[in-house]
Amino acid sequence: MSIELHDLHDAIAGIGLVDHHVHGSLRGACRRDQFESLITESDRPVPAWMTQFDSQVGFAIRRHCAPVLGLAPNVEADSYWSAREAFTADELTSRFLGSSGVAHWLMETGYRGDEILTNDELTGLLSSPVSEVVRLESVLESVAPTSTAAGLRADFCEELARRTATAVGLKSIVAYRYGFDFDPTPPSDQEVTDAAGRWLRECEAGDARVADPVLLRMLLWEATETGLPLQLHAGYGDPDVELHRCDPLLLTRWLKAVEPTGMDVLLLHCYPFHRNAGYLAQVFPHVYFDVGLAINYTGARSAQVIAESLELAPFAKILYSSDAWGPPELHYLGATLWRQGMETVLGGFVDRGEWAADDAMRVAWMVGRENAQRVYGVRQ
Amino acid sequence: MSIELHDLHDAIAGIGLVDHHVHGSLRGACRRDQFESLITESDRPVPAWMTQFDSQVGFAIRRHCAPVLGLAPNVEADSYWSAREAFTADELTSRFLGSSGVAHWLMETGYRGDEILTNDELTGLLSSPVSEVVRLESVLESVAPTSTAAGLRADFCEELARRTATAVGLKSIVAYRYGFDFDPTPPSDQEVTDAAGRWLRECEAGDARVADPVLLRMLLWEATETGLPLQLHAGYGDPDVELHRCDPLLLTRWLKAVEPTGMDVLLLHCYPFHRNAGYLAQVFPHVYFDVGLAINYTGARSAQVIAESLELAPFAKILYSSDAWGPPELHYLGATLWRQGMETVLGGFVDRGEWAADDAMRVAWMVGRENAQRVYGVRQ
Amino acid sequence: MSIELHDLHDAIAGIGLVDHHVHGSLRGACRRDQFESLITESDRPVPAWMTQFDSQVGFAIRRHCAPVLGLAPNVEADSYWSAREAFTADELTSRFLGSSGVAHWLMETGYRGDEILTNDELTGLLSSPVSEVVRLESVLESVAPTSTAAGLRADFCEELARRTATAVGLKSIVAYRYGFDFDPTPPSDQEVTDAAGRWLRECEAGDARVADPVLLRMLLWEATETGLPLQLHAGYGDPDVELHRCDPLLLTRWLKAVEPTGMDVLLLHCYPFHRNAGYLAQVFPHVYFDVGLAINYTGARSAQVIAESLELAPFAKILYSSDAWGPPELHYLGATLWRQGMETVLGGFVDRGEWAADDAMRVAWMVGRENAQRVYGVRQ
């Protein structure tokens, strides 16, 4: 390895990452079958004739997480599991998250919060600061039991203000709940009231999951009033998404509509539409993106996905996230694969004489840390 | 080459492949212009100012098939053609299919069957077993001349039962005949009877090609009653497809609808939507895929396509096929490029320390053989 | 480097390229902020917290264009800008275009023509010939002030005949003005007259930009009467496009409809849908494509984009263009990155033994020069 590539390796290893979209790690112990169901986006039981360890993310856990537990790289799945069982959940969190080199966690708190550690608990276990990203749909669902059709919007705004008092960003899962092919205009008060009435009746009947496009649009437009950046799940996720309706290009008209409000929009994951996201990030000053979740789930192929994310978008518009939820392996693995992938890709540019090594280091710092610090206003 | 990579090469070379979607080879001699029209998905005459040999598949035939005929690799097209003319059609079939290392052929018999060898004839020429995959649309079209609007469904089911008595799988070409944006629900009896009436009148007028979406859906739903796995052409094919309507993501609602029936669904080819197929194969336990046809047609680029197929899907959900039809070069080339591509891609993972060599061998066997054996219940 | 790869390098370096879709270079001096806004497809002001030099195209300019100005590769952006300011606009044009090795420029003249040099002016500065490609929408807009609803079609055709007397091709930007999801049939005279009436009233009100799908379709169908090849912007461009509506697959029915007219259709850029374009170029004899604009804008990643363009399409169906407009760096950079990318990709095929070196050279000449010479009938 040349001195230049050695320096690049050291520079990337030294970045105190901002993981700008991540969730808590598991609160308690889990069985192996539970673990396997948490390293796939499938919500179906793992069939008896297969193991989720036989996948890119499973192999990557055996390769990169095993050494964190004192095991050899690529140790067999059974051996990995045996060794892992000797640790408590908190020990695993401390070890994996503490080894990740993440300097700031922007934790989104809206998904199955009872199974994972709270931000306060994580703060107690970790040396790096933890900030909060608030999920819009969860806030709306939390006010439903005590709200009315006519009052839902105001109740939501009031609760959102309370919840975001110390938050650094917002998150929407309109991709899961409806898709990106929604009406790009703000809903009228009457539309909201009508939709709220229908939905509150459903809530009383037991289904408190908000999927009404009018209400989802209301959340997106109210977000523009907060001054906070908005994260949008885009592309690949669990089978709730209809993936072809989650191509971020379908947001084009809405992105133009919210551009004058000054709200920054951060497209998360985006796979397999990450090149489309790169286009949006080039042409719209308020649009950013990452390949978050896709890094962990493509494992040994993640360098290629990272490379594809470094095409059209200016380097000031690309961020890092892990989207880890649950097994703390995922928090560590995201950071590790990102560092390794960036080194492979940027090192390749340098090695071929296309980029200066100093530029490669500078871009790695922008993507891994500085862009997120600027967008979210976090400077720790 | 390290010992590990050498072992991987040998392991992949030694896999007795299951080619899970393939057709017969040519029954008789063909002229060069006919041959050229069979190494493209275009159904238009080859323009005078070009040759189909000047393409990835053409170059790959010159590279990989020439040595099978005793020629140097990359011999010129004219020399290749001259040498080829010294062989009979059966000799070419024996030589190319016999050299492919395919241990089991799952031959789909529904397309232009008079021009290619039957499964019985192939069985006579080959040492590897041949099983049958039945094309649903062909079965329906075969009963049309003697059926009625009210009786079409029952007549189809009866004929399908007869035809599948020894078959291992089914195939649908709804992608060609309509697209994947069909109504995901089962058609009612009345809808089927009405559509059957319209179609049978068309048949009497001379057009026996079934393209009615109600009838095509009927076939897909009757397939679920057979207990057999269903192959679906997806993505790239001849100009009959409207390719943007053949993205397998458009099947999402239908895949959810048939999931409770227990039918396995195998998405074929999928290019350029193979990453989308990988997503479906991760989240739905009953969904499998391959990059079949795309391997032959991308030639020197096929390793990259194979690499992209090894991202989201668990390794138990990926299969091998050639989709060869006609020139026996294609039956050989598919297997050869797959072995070479898998060695390049998995060897790269091993070489970079990301995968253990044993895992690479194991995954190659799963994709090339074992997954198909499990799904189709073929164990030879 | 082997002798074979050395020869391939020399062969590619020696190709007198036909840049089959390009525009004039800047007529006068420009400020740095203007320059930065011309090296992105965004039409928004560059935000204060970033520079467009921090992008693939910006890095590629520093890498490849700096030496043309006597600077070291990868010189810093400020140094590049200082050195550049010592040259006049004409000097920059002569130096960059003259160094590009382009032997024939097919200049499209329809976009912001007052800011760039005319074809006559370019002819005076350059030793390579300059031919004209006429933008259909610009011709229509030029006749609007003196036309009538009933006469618009005839007036357009008359002006088109005059403008194309010495032109070699046509261009449509229906992708920008509407999208590819237009009615594939020719509009009736009555439809055209009605649409013309509406549009001419808009023109009188001050908006002379034609965006009516009936009029845009009229242009596409009148193009078939000229005997000239038609270029279509496809895929990636400025934020006027709704990118998901510019997937060339959406043209499938229209491509079939115009196939009998004998008109050649050249799909430009196509990113990120270039694999889709490769499919169309395989199955339809009259369809060609390039990855034009995407080469400059993906910079150090352009070899990968070029590689992806060399999959399904026969090699007689792929062309080279830069789509440069304005800064003459872009005219040079397109050619330079194309040569480098083709050498990387084809050299890789040769190095792995997949292609013969002679074939690689031959394909490079076809794509870089000969295919365009044949399609446009230009033989200089």
Side-chain angles (χ1 to χ4, degrees), chain B residues 276-295:
Chain B
N276 302 4
Y279 159 74
L280 295 171
Q282 177 179 119
V283 299
F284 294 116
H286 62 311
V287 175
Y288 298 77
F289 83 111
D290 70 36
V291 285
L293 182 63
I295 296 178

Side-chain angles (χ1 to χ4, degrees), chain A residues 40-45 47 49-50 52 54-56 59 62-64 74 236-245 271-274 297-301 304-305 308 337 340, chain B residues 247 249-253 256 259 264 275-276 279 282-285 288 304 307-308 310-317 345 349 352-356 358-360 362-363 366 374:
Chain A
T40 172
E41 285 294 310
S42 183
D43 57 6
R44 273 58 170 174
W49 39 263
M50 65 169 279
Q52 292 292 358
D54 281 347
S55 64
Q56 288 285 10
F59 280 21
R62 290 170 44 216
R63 164 64 186 87
H64 293 286
N74 299 316
Y236 164 57
D238 72 41
D240 267 2
V241 303
E242 296 193 300
L243 185 51
H244 55 296
R245 297 177 58 210
Y271 181 99
F273 310 117
H274 40 294
Y297 278 101
T298 59
R301 286 282 303 161
Q304 178 66 23
V305 173
E308 293 169 2
L337 288 175
Q340 178 175 286
Chain B
D247 180 342
L249 293 181
L250 297 171
L251 293 171
T252 305
R253 292 186 189 192
K256 288 185 183 180
E259 189 176 7
D264 285 327
R275 281 173 158 170
N276 302 4
Y279 159 74
Q282 177 179 119
V283 299
F284 294 116
Y288 298 77
Q304 178 67 23
E308 293 170 2
L310 294 164
E311 293 179 352
L312 290 194
F315 305 128
K317 308 297 285 300
V345 175
F349 297 160
R352 293 191 282 117
E354 294 298 297
W355 282 28
D358 283 352
D359 284 320
R362 195 163 58 83
V363 168
M366 291 168 74
R374 187 183 68 247

Side-chain angles (χ1 to χ4, degrees), chain A residues 185-197:
Chain A
T185 63
S188 69
D189 285 343
Q190 189 60 51
E191 284 178 285
V192 171
T193 303
D194 292 350

Side-chain angles (χ1 to χ4, degrees), chain C residues 3 32 36 40 65 77 79 97 100 111 145-146 151-152 222 239 264 269 277 288 291 322-323:
Chain C
I3 292 176
R32 177 161 170 181
E36 289 204 24
T40 171
C65 298
S79 307
L97 278 68
S100 66
Y111 181 60
T146 58
L152 185 68
E222 289 299 342
D264 286 327
H269 325 312
Y288 298 78
V291 284
S322 67
D323 195 34

Side-chain angles (χ1 to χ4, degrees), chain B residues 42-308:
Chain B
S42 184
D43 56 6
R44 272 60 170 174
V46 182
W49 40 262
M50 66 169 277
T51 161
Q52 292 292 357
F53 271 105
D54 282 347
S55 64
Q56 287 286 9
V57 65
F59 280 21
I61 287 169
R62 290 169 45 215
R63 164 64 185 87
H64 293 287
C65 298
V68 179
L69 301 185
L71 303 165
N74 298 317
V75 67
E76 292 191 5
D78 290 351
S79 307
Y80 182 81
W81 192 255
S82 298
R84 190 189 196 276
E85 286 189 310
F87 296 88
T88 67
D90 281 1
E91 284 169 349
L92 290 167
T93 289
S94 297
R95 190 171 281 235
F96 281 117
L97 277 67
S99 304
S100 66
V102 171
H104 201 140
W105 306 92
L106 308 193
M107 294 273 179
E108 197 247 278
T109 50
Y111 181 60
R112 292 164 60 182
D114 46 335
E115 301 172 46
I116 54 172
L117 296 172
T118 64
N119 284 4
D120 283 349
E121 289 168 326
L122 287 163
T123 299
L125 286 170
L126 304 173
S127 58
S128 299
V130 175
S131 297
E132 185 175 8
V133 172
V134 172
R135 185 184 284 209
L136 296 169
E137 290 81 6
S138 302
V139 174
L140 185 66
E141 288 164 359
S142 74
V143 300
T146 58
S147 192
T148 61
L152 186 67
R153 187 173 204 149
D155 290 344
F156 165 77
C157 291
E158 188 180 348
E159 178 66 6
L160 184 65
R162 197 184 66 75
R163 290 287 306 284
T164 57
T166 59
V168 299
L170 303 173
K171 160 87 181 287
S172 163
I173 54 162
V174 64
Y176 278 101
R177 295 298 175 84
Y178 183 78
F180 286 159
D181 46 356
F182 55 81
D183 180 341
T185 63
S188 70
D189 285 342
Q190 189 59 49
E191 284 177 284
V192 170
T193 303
D194 293 350
R198 289 191 302 271
W199 178 58
L200 291 174
R201 284 191 295 278
E202 289 169 22
C203 291
E204 282 166 23
D207 181 9
R209 192 174 172 278
V210 60
D212 183 285
V214 171
L215 297 180
L216 295 167
R217 284 160 56 210
M218 183 265 282
L219 301 181
L220 295 174
W221 283 98
E222 288 300 342
T224 66
E225 303 289 329
T226 65
L228 291 171
L230 175 65
Q231 304 175 345
L232 282 171
H233 177 100
Y236 164 55
D238 72 40
D240 268 3
V241 303
E242 296 193 299
L243 185 51
H244 56 294
R245 298 176 57 210
C246 301
D247 180 342
L249 293 181
L250 297 171
L251 293 171
T252 305
R253 292 186 189 192
W254 177 78
L255 288 170
K256 288 185 183 180
V258 298
E259 189 176 7
T261 71
M263 179 171 71
D264 285 327
V265 177
L266 301 112
L267 304 169
L268 306 175
H269 326 312
C270 302
Y271 181 99
F273 310 117
H274 41 292
R275 281 173 158 170
N276 302 4
Y279 159 74
L280 295 171
Q282 177 179 119
V283 299
F284 294 116
H286 62 311
V287 175
Y288 298 77
F289 83 111
D290 70 36
V291 285
L293 182 63
I295 296 178
N296 271 345
Y297 279 101
T298 58
R301 286 283 302 160
S302 54
Q304 178 67 23
V305 174
I306 289 170
E308 293 170 2

